Amino acid sequence: MPNSHIGISNLSLVFPSNMSALAGAPSSSAVGQPYHPSWSCGSLPITKLTPRPAFVCIRRSLPRLKPLRAALVEATPSSLPPAPKRDASVQVLALPADRADDIQAEARAMARAVNASLYSPELLASKYGSQPIKVVRRTLQILTALGSFGLKLFLDQRNRVFDKNKRLRAVELRTIFTRLGPTFVKLGQGLSTRPDICPPEYLEELAELQDGLPTFPDEEAFSCIERELGLSLDAMYSSISPSPIAAASLGQVYKARLKSSGKLVAVKVQRPDIEESITLDFYLIRWLGFFINKYVDVITSDVVALIDEFARRVFQELNYVQEGQNARRFKKLYADKEDIFVPDVFWDYTSAKVLTMEWVEGVKLNEQEAIERQGLKVLDLVNTGIQCSLRQLLEYGYFHADPHPGNLLATPEGKLAFLDFGMMSETPEEARFAIIGHVVHLVNRDYEAMARDYYALDFLSRDVDVTPIVPALRNFFDDALNYTVSELNFKTLVDGLGNVLYQYPFNVPAYYALILRSLTVLEGLALYADPNFKVLAASYPYFAKRLLTDPNPYLRDALIELLFKDGRFRWNRLENLLVQGRKDRDFSAKEALQPVLKVLLSPDGEELRTLVIKEAVRVTEAFTLSTISDTYKFIPDFMRSLVFNGNANGPLMMPDSELQSMTELRDQVIRIWGLLQSSEDFDPALLLPILQVLQQPEARRLGGRVVGGITQRLAARFLQQVLRAPPTVST
């Protein structure tokens, strides 16, 4: 067809009517339910079996013994003349049988979760506005706990011991949140990532909150499984643990073996009536947010908006089908690496309140001795987690928002397994590049540019003047950057930045706070194994690789800003970037060369071309003169005065320091070329596209300017030697 691009939003999936014929699919009550137009299966919407203008639905005729397959069908749009033959107008893209089965099973799981609740402040107000007794009872319970805490804070301030007792009060708040139940445990975890709301002492204590809560009766859990999936336990499992192996704030987990396939699975079951408890709590917390916004001037963030955002995430966690889809998306993006493992989802055994995933054998990442007994190293696993976290934050922008040690396992094969995908978040595209640019500005100590970065990061609104923030950044980072990369502690950096944010009208986006928490957790785990480990040093290879290879205009500008200063090229910076970037397994010498050339030859690259011409002349001169100097050393003494115009002491009339500087520049350029050549993907053929680009008119003009500059420079040097001019040359 002339236009072979298939618009995903216009695809129809056709499923066999006999769903129960699928291999391994239980004949649940969901089978045979009518299709719902709003169902979604990954990125492929599932529609009613009705004709659509641009697509036709067909069923493939298959032998009885072969597995049934779904088909994606592309047809000629109705607005076009009918094609003479069907084969010319219809293209059938058959999915593999196992993928088709998986899509159909996910559709059935979504049907079982069709009534899952979504967070709506309006619905909460409508529901609990007519239940005053229940609201008052829970309000008194919360006020009693939080009121006593607030009174202590008031007395601390009055007695001038507020700062002295910060750590003690932070511990008490953590205990109160744990006692008040799942909503407040989640709230405490959320606050632990908000440096714009909480002082550092509270951030540290609240970060220790874990989802360890008492279990609920096994009979209720098993009854929930049977009710949700429409089958008895005996029909689904050949065995299931009689008691939970783990308990969290929203549910508890059992280990089972599927009867249909014999595979070991983890079955997570939601706590009974937890939705009712959480909705009431968020109704009350939201009213508290209104009160804080109106009367508490110290907190500059919109507390109600933060509560709504947090509540939406918790409600997503209550829908286990959504969590399964999160896991599938996460696996697609990040499990392509050999050292990352994400378990599969078993959709036929999943509903809104029951999630069945592949069982993962492994050890929690904070259990160092158990990991070492398996012959593994904690630091290797932490480095894997850091690299994956950076990809989550800066590459695709979709990341795990609850990375506490219980959700990270070391498998016997040495892989890092991610668990629990209920709470996920996304980084806006603009912010991904702004974060890398922020790192460049930090390295250059350009605090004015750092302050302006907070606009792109959504830390500040555009109408806020960043001038008063610059001195605070300078005071903190000048001290922090006095450390070497190997000495700089990420947690110290984050805590110091948190103090800056706490003093100024920042509104830290949730995605940024959560990823900082993720990296801080990983560094904390590594410090148990190696007190000298620094997460920033482990992160440098990724940043260097992105700067060198990413063609994004923002990052190209950041690289140029990093490499050029005061009209001179900083070869040491390029060498360091290459040394660090090559440590990243995805580094490509080919990708590092071509984007830079495109910028150089772009219509807007005149300023850069001027700098490159000057640097090319300087490098060529350095190669020529240092080579002459090296050659001079091999000429016999009696010939030196004859060859070099009677000068037996040296071939060049120039200071030794200048000659040494040229020799160092030449050697550095040679080392950089060696780094590129030593890359695994280096091939001289990768220079062919560059040679093609050099045929462009702008490239030829650039080459002519470089040759002209080199000729003039060397001619001046030659005359200087012949005429024995003073041994200085203007640069």
Side-chain angles (χ1 to χ4, degrees):
M1 295 181 63
N3 182 7
S4 60
H5 177 70
I6 300 178
I8 293 297
S9 62
N10 292 325
L11 286 177
S12 295
L13 289 182
V14 185
F15 298 111
S17 58
N18 183 16
M19 292 276 192
S20 61
L22 293 171
S27 302
S28 68
S29 58
V31 174
Q33 290 187 7
Y35 289 94
H36 192 282
S38 64
W39 291 356
S40 168
C41 184
S43 59
L44 304 178
I46 301 169
T47 66
K48 293 182 179 179
L49 299 182
T50 54
R52 300 181 67 178
F55 295 86
V56 296
C57 300
I58 66 172
R59 186 189 303 270
R60 302 189 70 188
S61 299
L62 298 173
R64 178 174 298 180
L65 296 179
K66 290 186 178 181
L68 297 170
R69 301 163 70 93
L72 304 183
V73 185
E74 183 183 15
T76 303
S78 57
S79 59
L80 298 178
K85 294 182 180 180
R86 177 170 180 170
D87 289 342
S89 62
V90 178
Q91 180 181 356
V92 178
L93 306 176
L95 291 173
D98 55 348
R99 177 58 182 148
D101 292 349
D102 190 57
I103 290 176
Q104 297 173 35
E106 184 179 356
R108 293 193 293 271
M110 297 184 69
R112 290 189 284 271
V114 70
N115 294 321
S117 299
L118 298 175
Y119 176 71
S120 170
E122 295 77 14
L123 290 179
L124 292 187
S126 174
K127 177 179 179 180
Y128 292 108
S130 60
Q131 301 182 39
I133 296 178
K134 181 179 292 188
V135 171
V136 170
R137 185 186 303 120
R138 179 60 173 170
T139 301
L140 290 176
Q141 183 181 4
I142 295 172
L143 288 179
T144 300
L146 297 181
S148 61
F149 176 76
L151 179 60
K152 292 178 181 178
L153 290 181
F154 173 76
L155 293 176
D156 285 347
Q157 188 143 14
R158 186 171 183 177
N159 296 329
R160 299 182 180 179
V161 292
F162 184 83
D163 291 334
K164 179 181 178 181
N165 288 345
K166 271 186 179 179
R167 179 69 61 182
L168 175 63
R169 299 300 173 230
V171 172
E172 291 180 358
L173 183 62
R174 173 170 54 84
T175 304
I176 290 171
F177 280 169
T178 303
R179 190 169 61 246
L180 286 175
T183 306
F184 286 86
V185 170
K186 290 292 183 184
L187 179 61
Q189 291 179 340
L191 288 174
S192 71
T193 67
R194 304 304 309 225
D196 55 334
I197 295 178
C198 297
E201 294 82 359
Y202 284 80
L203 295 178
E204 293 177 9
E205 289 298 328
L206 294 177
E208 295 182 10
L209 280 172
Q210 298 295 323
D211 293 338
L213 292 176
T215 62
F216 60 91
D218 300 311
E219 294 76 11
E220 293 186 32
F222 295 151
S223 175
C224 177
I225 295 173
E226 293 180 334
R227 183 173 61 254
E228 287 288 310
L229 301 181
L231 291 172
S232 66
L233 294 182
D234 292 338
M236 291 183 284
Y237 313 117
S238 56
S239 64
I240 186 169
S241 59
S243 58
I245 59 168
S249 59
L250 303 184
Q252 55 195 37
V253 179
Y254 295 83
K255 184 178 182 180
R257 187 178 295 277
L258 294 178
K259 180 170 285 187
S260 60
S261 62
K263 292 184 177 180
L264 279 175
V265 294
V267 183
K268 183 160 72 170
V269 188
Q270 196 170 109
R271 290 181 178 273
D273 303 322
I274 191 170
E275 185 176 319
E276 177 71 18
S277 170
I278 286 177
T279 54
L280 177 56
D281 284 346
F282 275 120
Y283 172 75
L284 298 175
I285 293 172
R286 199 167 186 273
W287 276 108
L288 178 62
F290 280 116
F291 178 84
I292 294 174
N293 278 351
K294 187 173 182 179
Y295 297 107
V296 182
D297 296 332
V298 176
I299 299 177
T300 58
S301 300
D302 184 347
V303 177
V304 173
L306 294 176
I307 292 171
D308 286 342
E309 179 185 4
F310 181 70
R312 277 189 289 271
R313 286 186 181 158
V314 173
F315 268 73
Q316 287 179 358
E317 284 193 82
L318 292 176
N319 183 355
Y320 285 172
V321 171
Q322 178 66 53
E323 180 175 343
Q325 292 176 322
N326 293 343
R328 183 198 56 207
R329 180 182 177 189
F330 189 89
K331 181 168 187 171
K332 180 180 179 181
L333 292 177
Y334 307 114
D336 58 325
K337 302 300 179 185
E338 59 184 16
D339 44 14
I340 297 293
F341 181 80
V342 179
D344 287 325
V345 180
F346 292 83
W347 295 107
D348 276 315
Y349 304 91
T350 295
S351 71
K353 297 183 179 180
V354 177
L355 175 62
T356 303
M357 298 186 73
E358 181 180 359
W359 179 262
V360 181
E361 290 289 349
V363 180
K364 291 182 180 181
L365 213 57
N366 58 350
E367 298 178 3
Q368 181 181 347
E369 293 182 1
I371 291 176
E372 292 177 348
R373 283 197 298 268
Q374 295 182 349
L376 304 176
K377 296 182 179 179
V378 174
L379 291 183
D380 291 342
L381 294 162
V382 169
N383 270 314
T384 297
I386 290 170
Q387 298 304 316
C388 188
S389 294
L390 290 170
R391 290 182 69 205
Q392 293 174 50
L393 171 65
L394 301 174
E395 212 158 304
Y396 299 107
Y398 183 71
F399 65 91
H400 197 296
D402 192 18
H404 63 73
N407 290 337
L408 300 171
L409 297 183
T411 70
E413 299 78 21
K415 294 186 176 183
L416 179 65
F418 283 81
L419 307 177
D420 194 348
F421 302 91
M423 187 174 287
M424 310 295 289
S425 189
E426 296 195 53
T427 311
E429 184 177 21
E430 182 184 7
R432 294 178 223 164
F433 301 122
I435 291 171
I436 298 178
H438 199 59
V439 173
V440 172
H441 296 147
L442 176 61
V443 171
N444 286 340
R445 303 197 185 203
D446 188 348
Y447 301 119
E448 289 79 7
M450 284 182 66
R452 291 192 298 272
D453 287 337
Y454 295 131
Y455 295 139
L457 290 168
D458 286 335
F459 280 29
L460 296 170
S461 61
R462 298 282 177 175
D463 58 349
V464 175
D465 181 17
V466 297
T467 304
I469 300 170
V470 173
L473 293 173
R474 179 177 291 108
N475 291 338
F476 171 70
F477 283 110
D478 273 348
D479 290 337
L481 294 177
N482 285 331
Y483 296 98
T484 65
V485 171
S486 60
E487 294 173 335
L488 189 57
N489 185 293
F490 182 78
K491 185 178 182 301
T492 302
L493 197 63
V494 172
D495 288 346
L497 183 59
N499 282 326
V500 174
L501 303 187
Y502 186 65
Q503 297 173 24
Y504 292 92
F506 281 81
N507 182 25
V508 180
Y511 68 83
Y512 188 80
L514 289 169
I515 204 66
L516 287 182
R517 177 195 175 198
S518 171
L519 294 175
T520 303
V521 168
L522 288 170
E523 184 177 57
L525 291 170
L527 290 175
Y528 284 108
D530 180 7
N532 297 318
F533 180 88
K534 306 302 176 191
V535 72
L536 284 179
S539 304
Y540 269 29
Y542 178 86
F543 280 97
K545 185 260 297 186
R546 285 294 300 276
L547 280 171
L548 287 168
T549 62
D550 199 309
N552 179 271
Y554 190 100
L555 297 188
R556 293 271 58 84
D557 292 344
L559 176 62
I560 292 169
E561 181 181 342
L562 186 66
L563 295 179
F564 286 90
K565 184 177 183 180
D566 299 330
R568 298 292 292 269
F569 188 84
R570 296 190 282 189
W571 290 95
N572 61 323
R573 285 281 175 90
L574 178 58
E575 183 179 9
N576 183 56
L577 284 174
L578 286 169
V579 169
Q580 294 295 328
R582 289 176 68 252
K583 295 178 183 178
D584 189 281
R585 66 181 61 182
D586 296 328
F587 176 78
S588 168
K590 180 178 180 180
E591 294 177 358
L593 291 174
Q594 296 188 34
V596 173
L597 190 64
K598 290 179 181 178
V599 174
L600 180 63
L601 301 178
S602 67
D604 299 327
E606 177 57 33
E607 183 178 354
L608 178 62
R609 284 192 288 272
T610 300
L611 295 175
V612 168
I613 290 169
K614 292 180 179 179
E615 197 61 31
V617 171
R618 192 168 76 95
V619 171
T620 303
E621 182 187 37
F623 265 83
T624 303
L625 298 184
S626 58
T627 301
I628 291 174
S629 177
D630 290 345
T631 304
Y632 173 80
K633 298 175 183 177
F634 296 97
I635 297 177
D637 292 341
F638 72 91
M639 295 181 61
R640 291 179 180 177
S641 60
L642 297 176
V643 176
F644 295 99
N645 195 24
N647 180 20
N649 296 322
L652 303 170
M653 300 293 296
M654 60 189 307
D656 291 340
S657 59
E658 186 179 0
L659 180 60
Q660 181 180 357
S661 176
M662 288 188 174
T663 303
E664 290 174 353
L665 174 59
R666 180 200 63 181
D667 294 343
Q668 193 166 44
V669 173
I670 292 174
R671 286 198 305 271
I672 290 172
W673 177 245
L675 289 171
L676 291 172
Q677 283 184 306
S678 63
S679 299
E680 294 181 1
D681 68 335
F682 182 84
D683 185 342
L686 67 84
L687 297 177
L688 291 178
I690 296 178
L691 295 177
Q692 294 173 1
V693 173
L694 291 176
Q695 300 304 313
Q696 299 176 9
E698 185 58 50
R700 290 198 296 269
R701 287 194 293 271
L702 177 63
R705 293 166 65 185
V706 171
V707 171
I710 293 172
T711 302
Q712 294 178 21
R713 186 71 172 169
L714 293 180
R717 285 287 187 185
F718 176 75
L719 290 174
Q720 187 181 79
Q721 303 305 312
V722 172
L723 302 175
R724 294 178 177 272
T728 57
V729 177
S730 173
T731 59

